[in-house]
Amino acid sequence: MIPALRTDTKKDKPTVLVIDDEAGPRDALKVILRPFFNIQSAESARAAIDVLNHQQIDLITLDQKLPDRQGLDLLQEIKQDHADIEVIIITGYGSLKSAMEGIRHGAAGYLLKPFNVTELITLVNQTLEKKERLDFLRNFLTTSTDLWGSETACAQAWKDLRAGYNAIGKVGEVPASSTADPSDLLPMLSDLLEAKDRQLLNHCSRVSFYATLLANRTNLTANEQKFLALGAFLHDIGRIGQGPYRFADDEIVATDGTNELRQHPEFGAKLVASLGLPAEVGQIIAYHHERWDGSGYPYGLKGEGIPLLARIVCLAQTFDHLTAELPERTALSIEEASRVIGTHAGTYFDPALTTLFTQVVQECKSSLPAMAIATNPSRRADS
């Protein structure tokens, strides 16, 4: 049975832009989707950009190979200039690697030609639901100040945020209790990071991955490893209440920076205080910029006075800043990043953890390059 497409007769139909250089697949998509959506189409990247500059688009179906541009290059430009537009890649040249690259660069889904109509409709439904959730969160972040208000106001804002988020698409209810299982909050918190900026979500995901690599070589308990993974994922959540996020603005190994950037650890810890997360998670958020020699911020903690899990995340987030590719700078290789981190052992970083971390990333380096690519649009091809 083919699922029905989501529509709301009280609202204008969403607009879908079909980008495909082949008339057959392009026309097939238009026939399937036209009863439910306003349809625009483009046969090239140049034509697609022209449509985007003149039309309000909600969702894009994107072919991976276009006559004037690679689809992934166009995807990066779309996500940079139109972050609120969701993209589904539909291609006849798919591979696991290209699918992973598409998702990493912000695609909401991936289908192979010839596509199955049921799968297409299901994915469109899911993608529109995702857009609705992200739009709700973006609006909440820009219109509500209570999340960064008093403790009481913040707790009520989280309650309102969770209620509104869970009402979209009738997703499972998150328990209202402050002792809710942290795993129940993860979908909303992940979407909240993405609503702020896709780069922020991907940076946090990579840092959690790197921290987990080190956790596997330590004597952490199973619970501590869970707290580490969650705290590393949320370490920069304080950035959602600050100005526009740019990954390149974050420090690499220096401790200077704007006052606003230096406030995000305290802000983040305060922000999540009413969510009932383990204390260790809050400590990671608050202390991940503290330095072994006491030169860090916001509290100037020193040595083993810095919680162990925060020391691990400090290393992981620095490694990601060194190795992630950005148009503003050339990423360091794993070996170069390890050397840079090593030069700060005993000053910025716990010396024993530094030795272990550089050893682990060297041993795992064959699996790291795919992780160490930021979703920030890199060198664009000329359109």
Side-chain angles (χ1 to χ4, degrees):
M1 184 178 193
I2 297 177
L5 282 164
R6 299 176 68 248
T7 59
D8 188 341
T9 56
K10 297 180 181 179
K11 299 179 181 179
D12 292 336
K13 291 180 179 180
T15 299
V16 175
L17 171 59
V18 176
I19 306 174
D20 198 311
D21 65 327
E22 296 183 82
R26 188 171 67 243
D27 290 343
L29 284 165
K30 289 162 66 175
V31 167
I32 294 168
L33 300 176
R34 184 176 285 118
F36 311 98
F37 302 106
N38 298 315
I39 301 295
Q40 297 287 330
S41 64
E43 70 284 349
S44 66
R46 185 182 297 276
I49 294 299
D50 185 62
V51 172
L52 291 169
N53 287 337
H54 295 91
Q55 300 284 336
Q56 180 68 41
I57 301 297
D58 297 291
L59 183 145
I60 291 172
T61 65
L62 175 63
D63 188 18
Q64 192 161 297
K65 288 187 178 292
L66 299 170
D68 56 346
R69 195 114 173 246
Q70 289 295 315
L72 287 178
D73 291 336
L74 178 59
L75 169 64
Q76 292 176 72
E77 182 170 349
I78 290 169
K79 297 308 289 187
Q80 180 181 39
D81 298 336
H82 308 276
D84 60 333
I85 298 177
E86 294 301 326
V87 179
I88 296 172
I89 295 176
I90 302 179
T91 180
Y93 303 91
S95 66
L96 178 59
K97 180 180 179 181
S98 62
M100 291 176 62
E101 288 178 350
I103 299 300
R104 188 166 59 245
H105 288 299
Y110 196 96
L111 283 179
L112 290 176
K113 298 176 185 175
F115 51 82
N116 177 285
V117 173
T118 300
E119 291 178 355
L120 170 67
I121 293 176
T122 298
L123 184 54
V124 168
N125 281 332
Q126 293 171 344
T127 302
L128 288 173
E129 237 175 58
K130 175 186 177 181
K131 175 175 171 55
E132 192 175 353
R133 290 194 299 269
L134 292 178
D135 286 347
F136 166 75
L137 294 172
R138 292 185 185 106
N139 182 66
F140 198 98
L141 289 176
T142 57
T143 60
S144 173
T145 59
D146 288 344
L147 273 178
W148 17 99
S150 67
E151 183 178 343
T152 301
C154 182
Q156 182 60 48
W158 275 118
K159 183 177 180 180
D160 295 340
L161 182 64
R162 290 159 67 183
Y165 177 87
N166 290 326
I168 296 169
K170 298 180 180 179
V171 297
E173 283 291 327
V174 172
S177 168
S178 62
T179 59
D181 186 335
S183 63
D184 293 331
L185 297 169
L186 270 177
M188 182 187 70
L189 293 171
S190 178
D191 281 349
L192 194 59
L193 292 171
E194 183 171 1
K196 178 63 179 180
D197 196 286
R198 180 75 187 201
Q199 293 181 60
L200 178 60
L201 171 63
N202 282 272
H203 167 61
C204 291
S205 298
R206 293 191 303 266
V207 170
S208 184
F209 174 80
Y210 297 140
T212 301
L213 286 180
L214 185 53
N216 292 334
R217 303 296 183 89
T218 62
N219 293 322
L220 296 180
T221 66
N223 276 339
E224 286 173 330
Q225 293 194 39
K226 291 179 183 178
F227 301 156
L228 175 62
L230 179 59
F233 182 66
L234 297 177
H235 77 284
D236 268 352
I237 196 169
R239 298 298 299 274
I240 69 170
Q242 298 183 324
Y245 178 81
R246 290 183 71 253
F247 180 77
D249 288 342
D250 285 345
E251 65 176 44
I252 296 179
V253 293
T255 55
D256 57 353
T258 67
N259 288 334
E260 183 183 41
L261 288 179
R262 291 170 67 92
Q263 292 169 356
H264 78 270
E266 286 182 286
F267 182 80
K270 178 183 176 183
L271 183 64
V272 303
S274 64
L275 292 180
L277 301 177
E280 291 87 347
V281 173
Q283 290 173 355
I284 290 170
I285 296 170
Y287 305 138
H288 70 276
H289 278 291
E290 301 292 345
R291 302 303 191 198
W292 184 256
D293 63 2
S295 66
Y297 60 88
Y299 302 107
L301 301 184
K302 185 176 181 179
E304 293 186 358
I306 307 168
L308 173 61
L309 302 188
R311 282 180 264 154
I312 293 174
V313 173
C314 180
L315 278 163
Q317 64 96 25
T318 301
F319 180 78
D320 187 56
H321 283 298
L322 289 167
T323 55
E325 292 184 357
L326 292 171
E328 294 90 341
R329 61 175 169 81
T330 301
L332 298 185
S333 68
I334 293 169
E335 290 76 12
E336 291 168 333
S338 296
R339 284 195 293 271
V340 170
I341 289 174
T343 63
H344 293 280
T347 53
Y348 289 161
F349 310 120
D350 179 329
L353 284 179
T354 302
T355 299
L356 183 58
F357 183 81
T358 55
Q359 177 185 337
V360 169
V361 296
Q362 289 291 335
E363 292 174 358
C364 301
K365 63 182 179 181
S366 62
S367 65
L368 297 186
M371 288 294 299
I373 299 175
T375 54
N376 183 47
S378 55
R379 298 165 292 276
R380 291 185 182 178
D382 293 333
S383 54

